[in-house]
């Protein structure tokens, strides 16, 4: 979270807004990367997630659209953490500060637990198939969702992150990737409103079933992007050798496709474009990290990620060669 946002997020913001949703939040956030996220409880003990988004990150219209889309997905059987209304019957509650507005939203707490690549109980072919199937369900439903002007097409989002890249060379390489993707055809079967960030940190698993949350990055994007995200974050920070990475990614993709294609089919040519979307995620993550630590010291682990990304960008290489 940017420094100026941290300075205006107070306990008063947290607890006063929580009352509007009739929950009591924990004081320590579960996350604070782009939003402040808290575990909270209702009077009957049920767990909810209370999220605060600063107006510099999203407009109220963008967040309301996220809530509406989530509500639509949940009502149509998608395994997502559904939103809840406040005592004012609003999905989004604003809190004005001396430097911008915080927008609060409440969600179900996804059942189950997070998965790590080090957990053999979960990190297996069955998870990969279910992961693909769940993404396919979302894509099948988004095809029938009315277009909204309140969620951006992906290139607008990327341009914002490219602005945070530290030099002209990296920015030029980034726009090279963006321009290549912009040439790809858009149809209702290949492009729509998608989660765009379905990595390990954004779903829980219970009894083999996945529940997805954190639709903050909801945008119009090519469907293949959601599958690229799975591959990308499954390998980010991996110590595997290049050949081992390639073999793993190919196997994981075959499992993902098996699950995904039980819900939705993409033409084979889209899998040939995966390398572009893997490189695109390098741009996004690099920009997000520079944005987050603007005016602050960058921790070593993030600096190492930045170093690897910038090397790949300069070499025009994705995180894995398929």
């Amino acid at each position: 979270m940017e420094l100026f946002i941290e300075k205006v997020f107070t306990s008063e913001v947290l607890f006063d807004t929580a009352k509007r949703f009739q929950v009591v939040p924990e004081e320590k956030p579960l996350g604070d990367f782009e939003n402040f996220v808290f575990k909270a409880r209702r009077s009957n003990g049920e767990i909810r997630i209370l999220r605060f988004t600063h107006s510099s990150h999203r407009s109220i219209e963008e967040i309301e659209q996220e809530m509406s889309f989530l509500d639509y997905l949940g009502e149509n059987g998608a395994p997502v953490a559904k939103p809840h209304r406040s005592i004012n019957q609003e999905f989004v509650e604003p809190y004005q500060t001396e430097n911008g507005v915080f927008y609060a939203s409440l969600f179900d707490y996804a059942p189950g637990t997070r998965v790590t690549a080090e957990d053999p109980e979960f990190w297996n072919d069955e998870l990969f198939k279910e992961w693909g199937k769940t993404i396919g369900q979302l894509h099948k439903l988004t095809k029938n969702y009315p277009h909204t002007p309140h969620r951006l097409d992906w290139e607008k989002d990327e341009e914002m992150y490219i602005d945070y890249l530290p030099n002209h060379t990296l920015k030029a390489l980034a726009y090279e990737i963006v321009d290549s993707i912009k040439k790809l055809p858009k149809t209702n079967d290949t492009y729509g409103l998608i989660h765009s960030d379905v990595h390990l940190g954004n779903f829980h698993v219970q009894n083999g079933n996945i529940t997805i949350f954190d639709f903050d990055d909801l945008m119009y994007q090519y469907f293949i992007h959601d599958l690229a995200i799975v591959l990308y974050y499954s390998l980010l920070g991996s110590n595997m050798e290049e050949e081992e990475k390639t073999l793993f990614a190919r196997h994981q993709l075959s499992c993902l496709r098996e699950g995904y294609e039980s819900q939705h089919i993409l033409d084979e040519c889209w899998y040939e474009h995966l390398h572009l979307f893997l490189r695109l995620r390098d741009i996004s993550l690099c920009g997000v990290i520079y944005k987050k630590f603007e005016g602050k010291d960058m921790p070593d682990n993030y600096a190492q990620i930045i170093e690897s990304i910038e090397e790949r960008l300069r070499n025009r290489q994705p995180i894995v060669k398929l």
Side-chain angles (χ1 to χ4, degrees), residues 127-183:
L127 172 71
F128 302 155
K129 292 173 188 176
E130 186 67 19
W131 207 341
K133 177 185 174 182
T134 306
I135 292 171
Q137 285 179 276
L138 301 189
H139 293 177
K140 182 170 66 175
L141 286 172
T142 197
K143 289 167 61 175
N144 296 317
Y145 190 75
H147 187 275
T148 170
H150 298 305
R151 277 288 166 167
L152 296 176
D153 282 275
W154 65 276
E155 55 261 52
K156 298 293 184 183
D157 212 52
E158 292 301 331
E159 287 170 3
M160 177 187 68
Y161 292 128
I162 290 173
D163 284 344
Y164 283 94
L165 298 183
N167 58 63
H168 176 74
T169 299
L170 289 176
K171 290 179 180 179
L173 291 167
Y175 275 114
E176 185 179 290
I177 298 167
V178 169
D179 289 343
S180 294
I181 294 175
K182 285 169 69 172
K183 295 175 183 176

Side-chain angles (χ1 to χ4, degrees), residues 183-212:
K183 295 175 183 176
L184 300 176
K186 296 177 183 178
T187 71
N188 192 49
D189 290 322
T190 63
Y191 190 91
L193 199 58
I194 69 168
H195 184 286
S196 81
D197 204 25
V198 192
H199 58 64
L200 283 171
N202 284 338
F203 65 81
H204 285 173
V205 178
Q206 184 178 61
N207 299 324
N209 298 313
I210 285 174
T211 301
I212 297 177

Side-chain angles (χ1 to χ4, degrees), residues 18-273:
K19 292 176 184 176
R20 302 185 211 172
F21 288 99
Q22 296 182 302
V23 295
V24 177
E26 296 180 354
E27 293 190 38
K28 184 178 179 179
L30 293 173
D32 61 359
F33 195 78
E34 291 187 295
N35 301 290
F36 290 109
V37 180
F38 296 86
K39 185 181 288 189
R41 290 186 184 273
R42 298 182 63 207
S43 58
N44 63 2
E46 288 180 345
I47 302 174
R48 295 283 189 262
I49 292 295
L50 184 62
R51 187 189 73 188
F52 291 83
T53 304
H54 192 262
S55 52
S56 63
H57 180 59
R58 302 282 181 213
S59 68
I60 190 169
E61 291 83 7
E62 287 179 292
I63 302 170
E64 286 174 339
Q65 186 56 66
E66 175 194 352
M67 300 299 107
S68 295
F69 185 63
L70 257 180
D71 193 49
Y72 161 78
L73 292 176
E75 289 299 313
N76 283 277
V80 298
K82 293 181 64 176
H84 292 276
R85 296 185 185 274
S86 69
I87 58 176
N88 300 318
Q89 294 304 304
E90 300 288 348
F91 277 134
V92 184
E93 286 285 349
Y95 193 103
Q96 181 70 53
T97 74
E98 63 186 24
N99 197 348
V101 182
F102 284 103
Y103 298 116
S105 307
L106 191 72
F107 308 86
D108 280 339
Y109 184 81
T113 59
R114 289 192 178 187
V115 172
T116 71
E118 289 74 40
D119 189 345
E121 180 183 354
F122 293 106
W123 192 248
N124 52 42
D125 291 1
E126 293 309 308
L127 172 71
F128 302 155
K129 292 173 188 176
E130 186 67 19
W131 207 341
K133 177 185 174 182
T134 306
I135 292 171
Q137 285 179 276
L138 301 189
H139 293 177
K140 182 170 66 175
L141 286 172
T142 197
K143 289 167 61 175
N144 296 317
Y145 190 75
H147 187 275
T148 170
H150 298 305
R151 277 288 166 167
L152 296 176
D153 282 275
W154 65 276
E155 55 261 52
K156 298 293 184 183
D157 212 52
E158 292 301 331
E159 287 170 3
M160 177 187 68
Y161 292 128
I162 290 173
D163 284 344
Y164 283 94
L165 298 183
N167 58 63
H168 176 74
T169 299
L170 289 176
K171 290 179 180 179
L173 291 167
Y175 275 114
E176 185 179 290
I177 298 167
V178 169
D179 289 343
S180 294
I181 294 175
K182 285 169 69 172
K183 295 175 183 176
L184 300 176
K186 296 177 183 178
T187 71
N188 192 49
D189 290 322
T190 63
Y191 190 91
L193 199 58
I194 69 168
H195 184 286
S196 81
D197 204 25
V198 192
H199 58 64
L200 283 171
N202 284 338
F203 65 81
H204 285 173
V205 178
Q206 184 178 61
N207 299 324
N209 298 313
I210 285 174
T211 301
I212 297 177
F213 48 86
D214 191 4
F215 280 71
D216 176 57
D217 287 329
L218 185 70
M219 69 177 72
Y220 285 97
Q221 174 58 290
Y222 294 95
F223 291 164
I224 194 67
H225 180 268
D226 269 347
L227 297 179
I229 291 297
V230 178
L231 299 175
Y232 183 92
Y233 283 105
S234 294
L235 292 171
L236 186 69
S238 169
N239 293 321
M240 288 188 282
E241 298 294 332
E242 289 305 313
E243 183 178 356
E244 189 180 0
K245 281 185 182 180
T246 298
L247 292 174
F248 169 82
R250 287 175 179 171
H251 177 74
Q252 185 183 45
L253 179 60
S254 70
C255 295
L256 285 170
R257 288 188 63 173
E258 182 177 336
Y260 184 83
E261 290 172 359
S262 71
Q263 304 295 317
H264 183 260
I265 302 291
L266 287 174
D267 288 341
E268 189 66 32
C269 66
W270 287 99
Y271 295 94
E272 296 171 5
H273 297 309

